[in-house]
Coordinates of all heavy atoms in Angstrom, one line a residue:
S241 N 0.8 -1.2 0.0 CA 0.0 0.0 0.0 C 0.9 1.3 0.0 O 0.5 2.2 -0.6 CB -0.9 -0.1 1.2 OG -1.2 1.2 1.7
R242 N 2.0 1.2 0.8 CA 2.8 2.4 0.8 C 3.6 2.6 -0.5 O 3.7 3.7 -1.0 CB 3.8 2.2 1.9 CG 4.7 3.4 2.1 CD 5.6 3.3 3.3 NE 6.1 4.6 3.7 CZ 6.5 4.9 4.9 NH1 6.3 4.1 5.8 NH2 6.9 6.1 5.1
V243 N 4.0 1.5 -1.2 CA 4.6 1.6 -2.5 C 3.7 2.1 -3.5 O 4.1 3.0 -4.3 CB 5.1 0.2 -2.9 CG1 5.7 0.2 -4.3 CG2 6.2 -0.3 -1.9
L244 N 2.4 1.7 -3.4 CA 1.4 2.2 -4.4 C 1.2 3.7 -4.2 O 1.1 4.5 -5.2 CB 0.1 1.5 -4.2 CG -1.0 1.7 -5.2 CD1 -0.5 1.4 -6.6 CD2 -2.2 1.0 -4.8
G245 N 1.2 4.2 -2.9 CA 1.1 5.6 -2.7 C 2.2 6.4 -3.2 O 2.0 7.5 -3.8
V246 N 3.4 5.9 -3.1 CA 4.6 6.6 -3.6 C 4.6 6.6 -5.1 O 4.9 7.6 -5.7 CB 5.9 5.9 -3.1 CG1 7.1 6.4 -3.8 CG2 6.1 6.1 -1.6
A247 N 4.1 5.5 -5.7 CA 4.0 5.5 -7.2 C 3.0 6.5 -7.7 O 3.2 7.2 -8.7 CB 3.6 4.1 -7.6
F248 N 1.8 6.6 -7.0 CA 0.8 7.6 -7.4 C 1.4 9.0 -7.2 O 1.1 9.9 -8.1 CB -0.5 7.4 -6.6 CG -1.3 6.3 -7.2 CD1 -1.7 5.2 -6.4 CD2 -1.8 6.4 -8.5 CE1 -2.5 4.2 -7.0 CE2 -2.6 5.4 -9.0 CZ -3.0 4.3 -8.3
F249 N 2.1 9.2 -6.2 CA 2.6 10.6 -5.9 C 3.6 10.9 -7.0 O 3.6 12.1 -7.5 CB 3.3 10.6 -4.5 CG 4.0 11.9 -4.3 CD1 3.2 13.1 -4.0 CD2 5.4 12.1 -4.4 CE1 3.9 14.3 -3.7 CE2 6.0 13.3 -4.1 CZ 5.2 14.4 -3.8
L250 N 4.5 10.0 -7.4 CA 5.5 10.3 -8.4 C 4.8 10.5 -9.8 O 5.2 11.4 -10.5 CB 6.5 9.2 -8.5 CG 7.5 9.0 -7.3 CD1 8.4 7.8 -7.5 CD2 8.3 10.3 -7.2
G251 N 3.8 9.8 -10.0 CA 3.0 10.0 -11.3 C 2.3 11.3 -11.3 O 2.3 12.0 -12.3
Y252 N 1.8 11.7 -10.1 CA 1.2 13.1 -10.0 C 2.2 14.2 -10.3 O 1.9 15.1 -11.0 CB 0.5 13.2 -8.6 CG -0.1 14.5 -8.4 CD1 -1.3 14.8 -9.1 CD2 0.5 15.5 -7.6 CE1 -1.9 16.0 -8.9 CE2 -0.1 16.7 -7.5 CZ -1.3 17.0 -8.1 OH -1.9 18.2 -7.9
V253 N 3.4 14.0 -9.7 CA 4.4 15.0 -9.9 C 4.8 15.1 -11.4 O 4.9 16.2 -11.9 CB 5.7 14.7 -9.0 CG1 6.9 15.6 -9.4 CG2 5.3 14.9 -7.6
C254 N 4.9 14.0 -12.0 CA 5.2 14.0 -13.5 C 4.1 14.7 -14.3 O 4.4 15.4 -15.2 CB 5.4 12.6 -14.0 SG 7.0 11.8 -13.4
L255 N 2.9 14.4 -13.9 CA 1.8 15.0 -14.6 C 1.8 16.5 -14.4 O 1.4 17.3 -15.3 CB 0.5 14.4 -14.2 CG 0.2 13.0 -14.8 CD1 -1.1 12.4 -14.2 CD2 0.1 13.0 -16.3
C256 N 2.1 17.0 -13.2 CA 2.2 18.4 -12.9 C 3.2 19.1 -13.8 O 3.0 20.2 -14.3 CB 2.4 18.7 -11.4 SG 1.0 18.4 -10.4
I257 N 4.4 18.4 -13.9 CA 5.4 19.0 -14.7 C 5.0 19.1 -16.2 O 5.2 20.1 -16.9 CB 6.7 18.2 -14.6 CG1 7.3 18.3 -13.2 CG2 7.8 18.5 -15.6 CD1 8.4 17.4 -12.8
L258 N 4.4 18.0 -16.7 CA 3.9 18.0 -18.1 C 2.8 19.1 -18.3 O 2.8 19.8 -19.3 CB 3.3 16.7 -18.5 CG 4.4 15.6 -18.6 CD1 3.7 14.2 -18.8 CD2 5.3 15.9 -19.7
H259 N 1.9 19.2 -17.3 CA 0.9 20.2 -17.4 C 1.4 21.6 -17.4 O 1.0 22.5 -18.2 CB -0.1 20.1 -16.2 CG -0.9 21.3 -15.9 ND1 -1.9 21.8 -16.7 CD2 -0.9 22.2 -14.9 CE1 -2.4 22.8 -16.3 NE2 -1.8 23.1 -15.1
S260 N 2.4 21.9 -16.6 CA 3.1 23.2 -16.6 C 3.7 23.5 -17.9 O 3.6 24.6 -18.5 CB 4.1 23.3 -15.5 OG 3.5 23.1 -14.2
S261 N 4.4 22.5 -18.5 CA 5.1 22.7 -19.8 C 4.1 23.0 -20.9 O 4.3 24.0 -21.7 CB 5.9 21.5 -20.1 OG 6.4 21.6 -21.4
V262 N 3.0 22.3 -21.0 CA 2.0 22.5 -22.0 C 1.3 23.9 -21.8 O 1.1 24.6 -22.8 CB 1.0 21.4 -22.1 CG1 -0.2 21.7 -23.0 CG2 1.7 20.1 -22.5
A263 N 1.0 24.2 -20.6 CA 0.3 25.5 -20.3 C 1.2 26.7 -20.7 O 0.8 27.6 -21.3 CB -0.1 25.5 -18.8
I264 N 2.5 26.6 -20.3 CA 3.4 27.7 -20.6 C 3.6 27.8 -22.1 O 3.6 29.0 -22.7 CB 4.8 27.4 -19.9 CG1 4.7 27.6 -18.4 CG2 5.9 28.4 -20.5 CD1 5.9 27.2 -17.6
R265 N 3.7 26.7 -22.8 CA 3.8 26.8 -24.3 C 2.6 27.4 -24.9 O 2.6 28.2 -25.9 CB 4.0 25.4 -24.9 CG 5.4 24.9 -24.7 CD 5.6 23.5 -25.2 NE 6.8 22.9 -24.8 CZ 7.7 22.5 -25.7 NH1 7.5 22.5 -26.9 NH2 8.8 22.0 -25.2
R266 N 1.4 27.1 -24.4 CA 0.2 27.6 -24.9 C 0.1 29.1 -24.6 O -0.4 29.9 -25.5 CB -1.1 26.9 -24.3 CG -2.4 27.4 -24.8 CD -2.5 27.2 -26.3 NE -3.8 27.8 -26.8 CZ -3.9 28.5 -27.9 NH1 -2.9 28.7 -28.7 NH2 -5.1 29.0 -28.2
F267 N 0.4 29.5 -23.4 CA 0.4 31.0 -23.1 C 1.4 31.7 -24.0 O 1.1 32.8 -24.5 CB 0.8 31.2 -21.7 CG -0.4 31.1 -20.7 CD1 -0.5 30.1 -19.8 CD2 -1.5 31.9 -20.8 CE1 -1.6 29.9 -19.0 CE2 -2.6 31.8 -20.0 CZ -2.6 30.8 -19.0
H268 N 2.6 31.2 -24.3 CA 3.5 31.8 -25.2 C 2.9 31.8 -26.6 O 3.2 32.8 -27.4 CB 4.8 31.0 -25.2 CG 5.7 31.3 -24.0 ND1 6.9 30.7 -23.8 CD2 5.5 32.2 -22.9 CE1 7.4 31.2 -22.7 NE2 6.6 32.0 -22.1
D269 N 2.2 30.8 -27.0 CA 1.6 30.8 -28.3 C 0.6 31.9 -28.5 O 0.4 32.4 -29.7 CB 0.9 29.4 -28.5 CG 0.3 29.3 -29.9 OD1 1.0 29.7 -30.9 OD2 -0.7 28.7 -30.1
I270 N -0.1 32.4 -27.5 CA -1.0 33.5 -27.6 C -0.4 34.8 -27.1 O -1.1 35.8 -26.8 CB -2.3 33.2 -26.9 CG1 -2.2 32.9 -25.5 CG2 -3.1 32.1 -27.6 CD1 -3.5 32.7 -24.7
N271 N 1.0 34.8 -27.0 CA 1.7 36.0 -26.7 C 1.5 36.5 -25.2 O 1.4 37.7 -25.0 CB 1.5 37.1 -27.7 CG 2.7 38.0 -27.9 OD1 3.8 37.6 -27.5 ND2 2.5 39.2 -28.4
I272 N 1.3 35.6 -24.3 CA 1.2 36.0 -22.9 C 2.3 35.3 -22.1 O 2.8 34.2 -22.4 CB -0.2 35.4 -22.4 CG1 -1.3 36.1 -23.1 CG2 -0.3 35.7 -20.9 CD1 -2.7 35.6 -22.8
S273 N 2.7 36.0 -21.0 CA 3.8 35.4 -20.2 C 3.5 34.0 -19.7 O 2.4 33.8 -19.3 CB 4.1 36.4 -19.0 OG 5.0 35.8 -18.1
G274 N 4.5 33.2 -19.6 CA 4.3 31.8 -19.1 C 4.0 31.8 -17.7 O 3.4 30.8 -17.2
W275 N 4.3 32.8 -16.9 CA 4.0 32.8 -15.5 C 2.5 32.8 -15.3 O 2.0 32.4 -14.2 CB 4.6 34.1 -14.8 CG 6.0 33.9 -14.6 CD1 7.0 34.5 -15.3 CD2 6.7 33.1 -13.6 NE1 8.3 34.1 -14.8 CE2 8.1 33.2 -13.8 CE3 6.2 32.2 -12.6 CZ2 9.0 32.5 -13.0 CZ3 7.1 31.5 -11.9 CH2 8.5 31.7 -12.1
C276 N 1.7 33.2 -16.3 CA 0.2 33.1 -16.1 C -0.3 31.7 -16.0 O -1.5 31.5 -15.6 CB -0.4 33.8 -17.3 SG -0.2 35.6 -17.3
F277 N 0.6 30.7 -16.2 CA 0.1 29.3 -16.1 C -0.3 29.0 -14.6 O -1.0 28.1 -14.3 CB 1.2 28.3 -16.6 CG 2.1 27.8 -15.5 CD1 1.9 26.7 -14.8 CD2 3.2 28.6 -15.2 CE1 2.8 26.2 -13.8 CE2 4.1 28.1 -14.2 CZ 3.9 27.0 -13.5
L278 N 0.3 29.8 -13.7 CA -0.1 29.6 -12.3 C -1.6 29.8 -12.0 O -2.1 29.2 -11.1 CB 0.7 30.6 -11.4 CG 2.2 30.3 -11.4 CD1 2.9 31.5 -10.6 CD2 2.5 29.0 -10.8
I279 N -2.3 30.5 -12.9 CA -3.7 30.7 -12.8 C -4.4 29.3 -13.0 O -5.5 29.1 -12.5 CB -4.2 31.7 -13.8 CG1 -5.1 32.7 -13.1 CG2 -4.9 31.2 -15.0 CD1 -5.5 33.9 -13.9
T280 N -3.8 28.4 -13.6 CA -4.4 27.1 -13.9 C -4.4 26.2 -12.6 O -5.1 25.2 -12.6 CB -3.7 26.3 -15.0 OG1 -2.4 26.0 -14.6 CG2 -3.7 27.1 -16.3
F281 N -3.8 26.7 -11.5 CA -3.8 25.9 -10.3 C -4.8 26.5 -9.3 O -4.9 26.2 -8.1 CB -2.4 25.9 -9.6 CG -1.4 25.1 -10.3 CD1 -0.4 25.7 -11.0 CD2 -1.5 23.7 -10.4 CE1 0.5 24.9 -11.7 CE2 -0.6 22.9 -11.0 CZ 0.4 23.5 -11.7
T282 N -5.7 27.4 -9.8 CA -6.7 28.0 -9.0 C -8.1 27.4 -9.3 O -8.2 26.6 -10.2 CB -6.8 29.5 -9.3 OG1 -7.3 29.7 -10.6 CG2 -5.5 30.2 -9.1
P283 N -9.1 27.7 -8.6 CA -10.4 27.1 -8.9 C -11.0 27.6 -10.3 O -11.9 27.0 -10.8 CB -11.3 27.7 -7.8 CG -10.4 27.9 -6.6 CD -9.1 28.4 -7.3
L284 N -10.3 28.6 -10.9 CA -10.7 29.0 -12.2 C -10.2 28.2 -13.3 O -10.4 28.5 -14.5 CB -10.3 30.5 -12.4 CG -10.9 31.5 -11.5 CD1 -10.3 32.9 -11.7 CD2 -12.4 31.6 -11.7
A285 N -9.4 27.2 -13.0 CA -8.7 26.3 -14.0 C -9.6 25.8 -15.1 O -9.2 25.9 -16.3 CB -8.0 25.2 -13.3
P286 N -10.8 25.3 -14.9 CA -11.6 24.9 -16.0 C -12.0 26.0 -17.0 O -12.0 25.8 -18.2 CB -12.9 24.3 -15.3 CG -12.5 23.9 -14.0 CD -11.4 25.0 -13.6
L287 N -12.3 27.1 -16.4 CA -12.6 28.3 -17.3 C -11.4 28.8 -18.1 O -11.5 29.1 -19.3 CB -13.2 29.4 -16.5 CG -14.5 29.1 -15.8 CD1 -14.9 30.3 -14.9 CD2 -15.6 28.9 -16.8
V288 N -10.3 28.8 -17.4 CA -9.1 29.3 -18.1 C -8.7 28.3 -19.2 O -8.3 28.6 -20.3 CB -7.9 29.4 -17.1 CG1 -6.6 29.7 -17.8 CG2 -8.2 30.6 -16.2
G289 N -8.8 27.0 -18.9 CA -8.4 25.9 -19.8 C -9.3 26.0 -21.1 O -8.9 25.9 -22.2
F290 N -10.6 26.2 -20.8 CA -11.6 26.3 -21.9 C -11.3 27.5 -22.8 O -11.3 27.5 -24.0 CB -13.0 26.3 -21.4 CG -14.0 26.3 -22.5 CD1 -14.2 25.2 -23.3 CD2 -14.8 27.4 -22.7 CE1 -15.2 25.2 -24.3 CE2 -15.8 27.4 -23.7 CZ -15.9 26.3 -24.5
A291 N -11.0 28.6 -22.1 CA -10.7 29.9 -22.9 C -9.4 29.7 -23.7 O -9.4 30.2 -24.9 CB -10.5 31.0 -21.9
L292 N -8.4 29.0 -23.2 CA -7.2 28.8 -24.0 C -7.5 27.9 -25.2 O -6.8 28.1 -26.2 CB -6.1 28.1 -23.1 CG -5.5 28.9 -22.0 CD1 -4.6 28.1 -21.2 CD2 -4.8 30.1 -22.6
L293 N -8.5 27.1 -25.2 CA -8.8 26.3 -26.3 C -9.4 27.1 -27.4 O -9.3 26.8 -28.6 CB -9.8 25.1 -26.0 CG -9.2 24.0 -25.1 CD1 -10.3 23.1 -24.7 CD2 -8.1 23.3 -25.9
L294 N -10.1 28.2 -27.0 CA -10.8 29.0 -28.0 C -10.0 30.1 -28.6 O -10.3 30.6 -29.7 CB -12.1 29.6 -27.3 CG -13.1 28.6 -26.8 CD1 -14.2 29.4 -26.1 CD2 -13.6 27.8 -27.9
I295 N -9.0 30.6 -27.9 CA -8.1 31.7 -28.4 C -7.2 31.2 -29.5 O -6.4 30.2 -29.3 CB -7.3 32.3 -27.3 CG1 -8.2 32.8 -26.2 CG2 -6.4 33.4 -27.8 CD1 -7.5 33.3 -24.9
P296 N -7.3 31.7 -30.7 CA -6.3 31.3 -31.7 C -4.9 31.7 -31.4 O -4.7 32.8 -30.9 CB -6.8 32.0 -33.0 CG -7.6 33.2 -32.5 CD -8.1 32.8 -31.2
G297 N -3.9 30.9 -31.8 CA -2.5 31.3 -31.6 C -2.0 32.3 -32.6 O -2.7 32.6 -33.6
N298 N -0.9 32.8 -32.4 CA -0.3 33.8 -33.3 C 0.2 33.0 -34.6 O 0.7 31.9 -34.5 CB 0.9 34.5 -32.7 CG 0.5 35.4 -31.6 OD1 -0.6 35.7 -31.5 ND2 1.5 35.9 -30.9
T299 N 0.1 33.7 -35.7 CA 0.5 33.1 -37.0 C 1.9 33.6 -37.4 O 2.5 33.1 -38.3 CB -0.5 33.3 -38.1 OG1 -0.7 34.7 -38.2 CG2 -1.8 32.6 -37.8
E300 N 2.4 34.6 -36.7 CA 3.7 35.2 -37.0 C 4.6 35.1 -35.8 O 4.1 34.7 -34.7 CB 3.6 36.6 -37.6 CG 2.9 37.6 -36.6 CD 1.4 37.6 -36.8 OE1 0.8 37.2 -37.7 OE2 0.8 38.1 -35.8
V301 N 5.8 35.6 -35.9 CA 6.7 35.6 -34.8 C 6.2 36.5 -33.7 O 5.8 37.6 -34.0 CB 8.1 36.0 -35.3 CG1 9.1 36.1 -34.1 CG2 8.6 35.0 -36.3
N302 N 6.3 36.1 -32.5 CA 6.0 37.0 -31.4 C 7.2 37.1 -30.5 O 8.3 36.6 -30.8 CB 4.7 36.5 -30.6 CG 4.9 35.2 -29.9 OD1 6.0 34.7 -29.6 ND2 3.8 34.5 -29.7
K303 N 7.1 37.7 -29.3 CA 8.3 38.0 -28.5 C 8.8 36.7 -27.9 O 9.9 36.7 -27.3 CB 8.0 39.0 -27.4 CG 6.9 38.6 -26.4 CD 6.7 39.7 -25.4 CE 5.6 39.3 -24.4 NZ 5.4 40.4 -23.4
Y304 N 8.1 35.6 -28.0 CA 8.6 34.3 -27.4 C 9.2 33.4 -28.5 O 9.6 32.3 -28.2 CB 7.4 33.6 -26.7 CG 6.9 34.4 -25.6 CD1 5.7 35.0 -25.7 CD2 7.6 34.5 -24.4 CE1 5.2 35.8 -24.6 CE2 7.1 35.3 -23.3 CZ 5.9 35.9 -23.5 OH 5.5 36.7 -22.4
G305 N 9.2 33.8 -29.7 CA 9.8 33.1 -30.8 C 8.9 32.8 -32.0 O 7.8 33.3 -32.0
A306 N 9.4 32.1 -32.9 CA 8.6 31.8 -34.2 C 7.5 30.8 -33.9 O 7.6 30.0 -32.9 CB 9.6 31.2 -35.2
T307 N 6.5 30.8 -34.8 CA 5.5 29.8 -34.7 C 6.1 28.4 -35.0 O 6.8 28.3 -36.0 CB 4.4 30.1 -35.7 OG1 3.9 31.4 -35.5 CG2 3.2 29.2 -35.7
P308 N 5.7 27.4 -34.2 CA 6.2 26.1 -34.5 C 5.8 25.6 -35.9 O 4.6 25.8 -36.3 CB 5.7 25.2 -33.4 CG 5.2 26.1 -32.4 CD 4.9 27.4 -33.0
S309 N 6.7 25.0 -36.6 CA 6.3 24.5 -38.0 C 5.5 23.2 -37.8 O 5.8 22.3 -37.0 CB 7.6 24.2 -38.7 OG 7.3 23.5 -40.0
I310 N 4.5 23.0 -38.7 CA 3.7 21.8 -38.7 C 4.5 20.6 -39.2 O 4.3 19.5 -38.8 CB 2.5 22.0 -39.6 CG1 1.6 23.1 -39.0 CG2 1.7 20.7 -39.8 CD1 0.5 23.5 -39.9
N311 N 5.5 20.9 -40.0 CA 6.3 19.8 -40.6 C 7.4 19.2 -39.7 O 8.0 18.2 -40.1 CB 6.9 20.2 -41.9 CG 5.9 20.6 -43.0 OD1 4.8 20.0 -43.0 ND2 6.1 21.6 -43.7
R312 N 7.6 19.8 -38.6 CA 8.6 19.3 -37.7 C 8.1 18.1 -36.9 O 6.9 18.1 -36.5 CB 9.0 20.4 -36.7 CG 9.8 21.5 -37.4 CD 10.1 22.7 -36.5 NE 11.0 22.2 -35.5 CZ 11.4 23.0 -34.5 NH1 11.0 24.2 -34.5 NH2 12.2 22.5 -33.6
G313 N 8.9 17.2 -36.6 CA 8.5 16.1 -35.8 C 8.5 16.4 -34.3 O 9.0 17.5 -33.9
I314 N 7.8 15.6 -33.5 CA 7.6 15.9 -32.1 C 8.9 16.0 -31.4 O 9.2 16.9 -30.6 CB 6.7 14.9 -31.5 CG1 5.3 15.2 -31.8 CG2 6.9 14.8 -30.0 CD1 4.3 14.3 -31.1
L315 N 9.8 15.0 -31.6 CA 11.1 15.0 -30.9 C 11.9 16.2 -31.3 O 12.6 16.9 -30.5 CB 11.9 13.7 -31.2 CG 11.3 12.5 -30.6 CD1 12.1 11.3 -31.0 CD2 11.2 12.6 -29.1
Q316 N 11.9 16.6 -32.6 CA 12.7 17.8 -33.0 C 12.1 19.1 -32.3 O 12.8 19.9 -31.9 CB 12.6 17.9 -34.5 CG 13.5 19.1 -35.0 CD 13.5 19.2 -36.5 OE1 12.7 18.5 -37.2 NE2 14.3 20.1 -37.0
S317 N 10.7 19.1 -32.2 CA 10.1 20.3 -31.6 C 10.5 20.4 -30.1 O 10.6 21.5 -29.6 CB 8.6 20.2 -31.8 OG 8.3 20.3 -33.1
L318 N 10.6 19.2 -29.5 CA 10.9 19.2 -28.0 C 12.3 19.6 -27.7 O 12.6 20.3 -26.8 CB 10.6 17.8 -27.4 CG 9.1 17.5 -27.3 CD1 9.0 16.0 -26.8 CD2 8.4 18.4 -26.4
F319 N 13.2 19.1 -28.5 CA 14.7 19.2 -28.2 C 15.4 20.3 -29.0 O 16.5 20.7 -28.8 CB 15.4 17.9 -28.4 CG 14.9 16.9 -27.4 CD1 14.2 15.8 -27.9 CD2 15.1 17.0 -26.1 CE1 13.7 14.8 -27.0 CE2 14.6 16.1 -25.2 CZ 13.9 15.0 -25.7
D320 N 14.7 20.9 -30.0 CA 15.3 22.0 -30.8 C 14.2 23.1 -30.9 O 13.5 23.2 -31.9 CB 15.7 21.4 -32.2 CG 16.3 22.5 -33.1 OD1 16.8 23.5 -32.5 OD2 16.4 22.3 -34.3
P321 N 14.2 24.0 -29.9 CA 13.1 25.0 -29.9 C 13.2 26.1 -31.0 O 12.3 26.8 -31.3 CB 13.2 25.6 -28.5 CG 14.6 25.3 -28.1 CD 15.0 24.1 -28.8
A322 N 14.4 26.2 -31.6 CA 14.6 27.2 -32.6 C 13.9 26.9 -33.9 O 13.6 25.8 -34.3 CB 16.1 27.4 -32.9

């Protein structure tokens, strides 16, 4: 039972890290500071998440960098942000 609890905790930590990464990338995509992802840890999270789905991303370069290319592979996008 204790091992299972530790496993669930580690899984939760991993999911929190992934959630933060995706949220920060989405905020950068709509030209908003990545620090705004902290709002997703509040009771407003469902509303913020839904709003992020509706807001279109930038189609040109913004202050956080170029728009990711559709033709790039997932691994290249993850490890080569340029």
Side-chain angles (χ1 to χ4, degrees):
S241 147
R242 186 176 196 150
V243 172
L244 188 60
V246 170
F248 278 121
F249 176 75
L250 291 175
Y252 179 75
V253 169
C254 289
L255 286 175
C256 284
I257 292 170
L258 291 172
H259 161 67
S260 300
S261 173
V262 170
I264 289 170
R265 286 175 189 238
R266 181 61 184 140
F267 278 114
H268 283 178
D269 186 39
I270 57 176
N271 210 21
I272 297 175
S273 172
W275 284 104
C276 290
F277 92 95
L278 293 174
I279 225 169
T280 64
F281 290 110
T282 67
L284 297 175
L287 295 174
V288 172
F290 185 68
L292 288 176
L293 291 173
L294 299 177
I295 299 171
N298 290 350
T299 56
E300 60 274 340
V301 176
N302 63 25
K303 65 182 178 181
Y304 300 104
T307 303
S309 172
I310 296 172
N311 297 325
R312 293 175 63 180
I314 280 184
L315 290 177
Q316 185 180 7
S317 295
L318 288 174
F319 297 112
D320 182 20

